[in-house]
Amino acid sequence: MKIFIDTANVDHIREMADIGILSGVTTNPTLIAKEGRDFLEVIKEITEIVDGPISGEVISLEAEGMVKEGIEISKIHPNMVVKIPLTSEGLKATKELSKLGIKTNVTLVFSANQALLAATAGATYVSPFVGRLEDTLHDGIEVVADIRRIFDQYNFKTEIISASIRTPKQMADSALVGAHIATVPYEVLRKAITHPLTDKGIKAFMDDWNAVFNKK
Ligand code: E4P
């Protein structure tokens, strides 16, 4: 499973890219607004940091506007992916953009049926929102597993981006049920990297080494 970061914060993206674990980036209007910076400026900066798929989301609610915006987003950089919400209009726009050879990430997916419809419309990626499902006591990981079974059964090339990840466990569970990608917030990635037993183990190794080789 590939790891994307779910943020528009370029410092966080740079830090994870430097570690070498990032294959892509997803943004959404909330994440862009949180940075308080111009959409185009932030997205261009991200394309200079990460060489992989970068999702930028449309704002229009009608297919025609989504397609126009999508074409503009795709022109920013060859790695750009147009993020489109799963509505009837969104499916229509996905179909149009896929005919133009433009990559799409259909977002706000909450059921296997929605994912099936997005794949049928030609989506490059679908993003089931695991965390938001689990916030409302639904099994988000089961939805990801169902989508994977359906895509495998019918040979869809659409890739699953496990999204709205809140915990390292949701990240690992996404990998276990076959998500192709998990898009993970910075704070969750930091938690996934660290483990108290790793820190404790390093301290013990250093103490043992220094007791023999660095006697004062
Ligand atoms: C997906 O790509 C979205 O940007 C994201 O994962 C939404 O997550 P949230 O539920 O934390 O807002």
Side-chain angles (χ1 to χ4, degrees):
M1 182 179 77
K2 289 181 183 155
I3 308 292
F4 288 8
I5 190 166
D6 193 30
T7 186
N9 181 303
V10 290
D11 293 332
H12 289 168
I13 295 171
R14 201 170 280 117
E15 184 183 322
M16 290 301 162
D18 281 350
I19 294 173
I21 56 166
L22 279 194
S23 298
V25 181
T26 54
T27 68
N28 65 38
T30 302
L31 294 172
I32 298 273
K34 201 169 149 195
E35 298 307 310
R37 296 179 57 198
D38 176 65
F39 174 78
L40 201 58
E41 185 188 297
V42 181
I43 292 289
K44 276 188 181 158
E45 210 172 319
I46 296 173
T47 62
E48 284 159 17
I49 304 169
V50 177
D51 184 17
I54 295 158
S55 292
E57 190 158 341
V58 299
I59 305 298
S60 303
L61 298 177
E62 272 85 46
E64 200 186 325
M66 290 177 180
V67 171
K68 269 192 201 146
E69 268 186 73
I71 292 171
E72 289 311 309
I73 291 172
S74 75
K75 284 181 189 159
I76 301 173
H77 191 278
N79 284 342
M80 288 310 296
V81 175
V82 181
K83 212 171 175 191
I84 298 177
L86 199 144
T87 57
S88 306
E89 292 295 302
L91 289 172
K92 218 189 276 181
T94 301
K95 181 97 191 171
E96 282 306 308
L97 290 168
S98 101
K99 275 196 231 155
L100 297 173
I102 293 173
K103 290 189 174 142
T104 53
N105 172 2
V106 177
T107 189
L108 290 164
V109 168
F110 292 93
S111 71
N113 270 335
Q114 287 185 313
L116 172 60
L117 293 168
T120 304
T124 317
Y125 304 98
V126 289
S127 290
F129 274 35
V130 171
R132 290 196 200 184
L133 277 164
E134 303 208 340
D135 289 347
T136 55
L137 303 180
H138 289 88
D139 190 339
I141 293 297
E142 195 179 13
V143 172
V144 174
D146 287 349
I147 297 170
R148 181 66 204 241
R149 279 180 59 203
I150 292 169
F151 285 6
D152 285 351
Q153 195 159 327
Y154 295 100
N155 284 320
F156 282 110
K157 296 283 169 272
T158 307
E159 292 195 47
I160 303 163
I161 304 181
S162 198
S164 181
I165 298 290
R166 306 254 190 271
T167 64
K169 179 163 169 35
Q170 287 174 347
M171 177 175 148
D173 287 346
S174 298
L176 283 169
V177 299
H180 302 89
I181 298 150
T183 189
V184 186
Y186 172 81
E187 294 73 19
V188 180
L189 284 175
R190 285 254 49 107
K191 281 189 200 159
I193 291 168
T194 54
H195 195 288
L197 289 178
T198 306
D199 296 341
K200 197 178 163 193
I202 290 170
K203 189 178 178 316
F205 287 154
M206 290 303 106
D207 289 349
D208 292 345
W209 177 274
N210 288 330
V212 173
F213 300 112
N214 281 325
K215 283 186 203 150
K216 292 252 162 88

